[in-house]
Amino acid sequence: MRAITRIAGNEVSIILRQPIIIAVFAILLVLAVLHGLGHALMIRSGLAVNPVPEVDPFFDVGVQNIVWPTSVYLSAVAMFIGILSSIDEKSSGAMRVLIAKPLYRRDIVVGKFLGISLLMLLLTVAFVSLFVASLLIFYGGPQSPYELIRVPAYMVVLYVYVMFFLAISMLIGFVCNNVYLALGLAGLFYWSDLTMSGVFSVIEEINKFLNYISPVHVLFKALYVNDHSMFDLLLPFSEWISGALPIVVWSALLVIIILLVNSYLFSRYDA
């Protein structure tokens, strides 16, 4: 366990020394504030037209609309970092140095994954928190403060989704030796997962299969229970948890399975 922790810490250190990664993180945090401000202004303009809305605009207009930017931005960053991390280790020969030490190869894979996932956890929490904080500052809170519990619940769902993409990106990185090929394949997978859900929705058999392996399908199955979004206050929070928990657990299991595949592939990698 100590070896995995050291590898994870080393991975965090390597990532944080990359100016482009720091710049991307900073841009995302600025975008979180801008999204929050923009949605706060949308709520205010809507209330000017309809002072007594039927639903709580804090969730229906505000937090509900963070799903698209957070899921798209954060998953893209996770895939980018995951691929560069895997490819860089293989091309630079750093893996050969690590493997020469008394380490299991799976420790390297797990350590790298944990290091990146820790950074993505911090980024996920910071992004969503800044967005919600902007709503609270520029608009105000929800009608029922208790319902704010849905925000950290969304962070959990989003984080598992981002880890799904991270595991897949590392898989692509271990399969490919060329960074441009890996980035191309990752981009193709990313685009197809975002767009093909609508194409295959008319083919019932394929759509049912994608419901269980596609990151986007799994995300929205967790977010929507009984045809209600988790941010729809007509859906009790306890009812959402009972419906979404199996999907979140299934997503986490898929991440573990892909991580095991990554470990197997790396164990066959001749450094």
Side-chain angles (χ1 to χ4, degrees):
M1 187 63 187
R2 181 178 298 180
I4 293 177
T5 303
R6 292 180 61 183
I7 294 171
N10 181 67
E11 190 66 22
V12 171
S13 176
I14 291 174
I15 293 174
L16 293 181
R17 289 200 300 265
Q18 302 298 323
I20 187 172
I21 300 298
I22 300 301
V24 169
F25 285 2
I27 291 172
L28 285 179
L29 296 182
V30 172
L31 286 175
V33 176
L34 293 178
H35 274 290
L37 172 61
H39 286 91
L41 296 177
M42 287 176 57
I43 295 174
R44 289 187 175 276
S45 63
L47 291 176
V49 177
N50 182 18
V52 187
E54 296 181 358
V55 294
D56 188 342
F58 180 86
F59 285 104
D60 190 65
V61 179
V63 183
Q64 172 70 38
N65 288 316
I66 198 177
V67 172
W68 184 85
T70 52
S71 61
V72 171
Y73 298 163
L74 295 177
S75 59
V77 171
M79 290 203 77
F80 179 73
I81 295 177
I83 287 176
L84 291 186
S85 175
S86 302
I87 293 291
D88 181 64
E89 289 287 356
K90 291 172 67 176
S91 61
S92 65
M95 282 186 177
R96 183 180 292 107
V97 176
L98 289 173
I99 295 172
K101 298 179 180 180
L103 292 172
Y104 290 107
R105 291 172 183 256
R106 66 171 180 269
D107 291 345
I108 298 173
V109 177
V110 174
K112 291 173 67 64
F113 179 85
L114 290 181
I116 301 173
S117 64
L118 174 60
L119 288 178
M120 293 309 303
L121 174 62
L122 297 176
L123 185 59
T124 298
V125 172
F127 193 111
V128 178
S129 297
L130 285 175
F131 176 88
V132 174
S134 298
L135 282 178
L136 292 172
I137 293 171
F138 298 112
Y139 163 69
Q143 297 171 3
S144 173
Y146 167 77
E147 298 294 350
L148 281 173
I149 194 174
R150 297 173 187 256
V151 175
Y154 173 65
M155 291 181 186
V156 173
V157 174
L158 177 63
Y159 179 65
V160 174
Y161 168 77
V162 172
M163 291 304 95
F164 204 157
F165 271 103
L166 174 60
I168 291 173
S169 70
M170 292 184 69
L171 173 62
I172 295 174
F174 285 128
V175 171
C176 300
N177 289 319
N178 184 282
V179 63
Y180 298 109
L181 175 61
L183 288 173
L185 289 176
L188 179 61
F189 171 80
Y190 188 75
W191 171 82
S192 63
D193 194 57
L194 291 177
T195 60
M196 290 303 174
S197 58
V199 174
F200 288 124
S201 62
V202 297
I203 307 176
E204 185 175 357
E205 292 76 11
I206 297 180
N207 195 53
K208 286 182 178 179
F209 179 70
L210 290 177
N211 281 340
Y212 294 98
I213 64 166
S214 162
V216 170
H217 275 74
V218 173
L219 172 67
F220 282 93
K221 281 177 69 68
L223 293 180
Y224 287 84
V225 173
N226 297 331
D227 297 326
H228 289 280
S229 165
M230 68 174 295
F231 300 118
D232 186 346
L233 300 189
L234 295 176
L235 177 69
F237 184 70
S238 58
E239 183 177 340
W240 172 79
I241 288 182
S242 63
L245 186 58
I247 306 300
V248 175
V249 172
W250 168 249
S251 301
L253 287 175
L254 285 177
V255 172
I256 294 173
I257 291 172
I258 298 173
L259 195 57
L260 291 174
V261 173
N262 290 343
S263 299
Y264 172 77
L265 290 176
F266 181 49
S267 69
R268 297 175 62 85
Y269 171 64
D270 184 12

